[in-house]
Amino acid sequence: MQCRICGKSMDSFKLHETMISKNQLKLVKALKLKKKREENALFVAEGSKTVSDILDSDLEIMHLYADEQWISKHSIPEAVPYTVIDERSLQQLSFLKTAQEVLAVVHMPKKTEVLSSDRLILALDGVRDPGNMGTIIRLADWFGVSQVICSNDCVDLYNPKTVQATMGSIARVSVRYTDLSEDLQAKKVEGYKCYSAVLGGENMYTMPFDEKLILIMGNESNGVRPEVMALTDKHITIPDFGSGAIDSLNVATACSVILSEIRSRSFR
C-alpha cells in the first residue's frame, strides 16, 4: 500500500527507528487536513491516555512516535512499528502547542453500517466545534452509549482536536455519519422515540422517558434544524434554577446533564 502524500510504500516505515525521516514528517503534518486524512485513511492521535487506549483497542496503528521514557513504561505489541525520538522531534510532528510524549498515526476503521439495538442512541445535528464533538464522544463512553450518529455536516471525527478531546474514547464508541433525517425515520420505524434538546421544551426532570429513545443534540448556534425537529416526538429542556441571565448551555455540557438524568431513571 502506498502513501498518497509521499508516494512511498507504507512498508518503508520500518520498526523501531531512532529518527524521523522527511517523508514521515511530511505524512504526519499532511494529516492535519481532512482531505489528506481521507485519501490515506489515516489520522493522528496524541497523548499517553489516547494512544494507550488505541493500543488496547481493535484500531490499527501504522506508526508510533514516542520519547524514550514513554517507551520504557509501556508494552508495545510486536507488530506496531515505533520510533524513539526526542522532545524536539515530537514537537516537529505535533499538532499541539506543547507536544505530548507520544504520537501515533492510526488507520481509520473501515466504515460499517452497524445498526445498534441499544435502547439509548445519541444523535448530533450539525455539531461543528471539534472540542464539543470530542467531549460528547467521551460522555457517550462514560454513560454507556455505544453508538453516536452524526449529520454529514458535523465536524470530522478525526480532526486532531476532536481526537484529543475524546481522551481515548474514540477507540470504544462507534461514530458514523449519515443523512440524519433518513436515519431517524428508519429508527422510528424500529420503535425509537426522538427527543430533541431545545429551549422552552418540557422539563426533563418531570417527564417520563420512553423505552427506546434517541437523544438529539443540535448545532452550537442554531440548535436542531427544522427537518430534524419535524421528526421529534418530545422537546426536552434543562430548567434554569439560577438567575435566568444565561440564555443557554454549551452543547456538550447540556448533553452531559441530560444523559445523566436519563441513565439515573429509566435506563439503569
Side-chain angles (χ1 to χ4, degrees):
M1 180 179 178
Q2 280 192 324
C3 170
R4 297 185 186 224
I5 296 170
C6 66
K8 294 184 68 176
S9 167
M10 294 296 193
D11 294 335
S12 66
F13 298 115
K14 299 298 184 182
L15 294 171
H16 318 335
E17 297 174 343
T18 55
M19 62 181 294
I20 54 174
S21 68
K22 290 182 179 179
N23 284 327
Q24 287 173 311
L25 178 60
K26 184 178 180 181
L27 171 62
V28 174
K29 301 305 283 188
L31 295 177
K32 190 171 185 178
L33 300 176
K34 181 180 180 181
K35 178 183 177 181
K36 297 301 182 182
R37 293 194 295 270
E38 291 178 343
E39 285 179 357
N40 289 275
L42 296 169
F43 69 96
V44 172
E46 299 189 60
S48 185
K49 177 69 169 63
T50 301
V51 174
S52 294
D53 283 359
I54 289 174
L55 281 170
D56 290 338
S57 75
D58 293 331
L59 294 176
E60 182 185 354
I61 292 179
M62 190 199 96
H63 204 96
L64 185 149
Y65 304 88
D67 62 28
E68 188 172 355
Q69 186 175 12
W70 193 91
I71 292 292
S72 68
K73 291 180 179 179
H74 294 82
S75 177
I76 302 173
E78 186 65 30
V80 175
Y82 68 85
T83 302
V84 182
I85 55 178
D86 58 19
E87 183 179 341
R88 178 177 173 276
S89 296
L90 276 167
Q91 192 64 59
Q92 283 184 292
L93 292 171
S94 180
F95 299 148
L96 304 175
K97 188 174 182 180
T98 302
Q100 303 290 304
E101 64 269 55
V102 60
L103 176 151
V105 178
V106 187
H107 291 281
M108 292 181 185
K110 292 181 180 180
K111 294 180 180 179
T112 56
E113 293 299 318
V114 178
L115 297 179
S116 173
S117 59
D118 294 347
R119 292 165 56 206
L120 175 59
I121 296 173
L122 183 58
L124 305 181
D125 184 21
V127 171
R128 302 298 300 160
D129 183 85
N132 284 336
M133 172 69 86
T135 300
I136 289 171
I137 293 168
R138 190 178 183 197
L139 288 168
D141 192 16
W142 180 266
F143 287 107
V145 179
S146 65
Q147 181 180 198
V148 178
I149 54 177
C150 302
S151 62
N152 286 318
D153 61 344
C154 280
V155 64
D156 181 25
L157 170 65
Y158 300 111
N159 180 301
K161 292 181 180 178
T162 302
V163 175
Q164 187 74 14
T166 71
M167 293 293 290
S169 292
I170 192 172
R172 291 180 291 275
V173 177
S174 172
V175 180
R176 61 187 180 88
Y177 290 74
T178 182
D179 182 312
L180 192 56
S181 295
E182 288 186 5
D183 206 297
L184 293 177
Q185 288 174 333
K187 289 294 186 185
K188 285 168 73 73
V189 172
E190 297 174 23
Y192 283 89
K193 298 294 184 182
C194 295
Y195 287 56
S196 287
V198 300
L199 295 174
E202 190 174 348
N203 184 336
M204 72 170 191
Y205 294 116
T206 59
M207 65 184 291
F209 292 105
D210 287 276
E211 274 296 306
K212 295 171 68 175
L213 74 84
I214 300 172
L215 173 61
I216 305 167
M217 305 301 299
N219 174 265
E220 291 88 345
S221 299
N222 303 313
V224 178
R225 73 192 74 200
E227 55 266 40
V228 174
M229 194 70 81
L231 298 169
T232 297
D233 297 290
K234 295 184 180 180
H235 302 89
I236 182 172
T237 294
I238 303 168
D240 180 358
F241 295 104
S243 64
I246 299 174
D247 58 0
S248 65
L249 292 174
N250 168 273
V251 64
T253 301
C255 185
S256 175
V257 174
I258 297 171
L259 285 177
S260 179
E261 179 62 16
I262 292 172
R263 282 301 191 198
S264 71
R265 294 197 282 132
S266 339
F267 288 74
R268 289 176 183 170

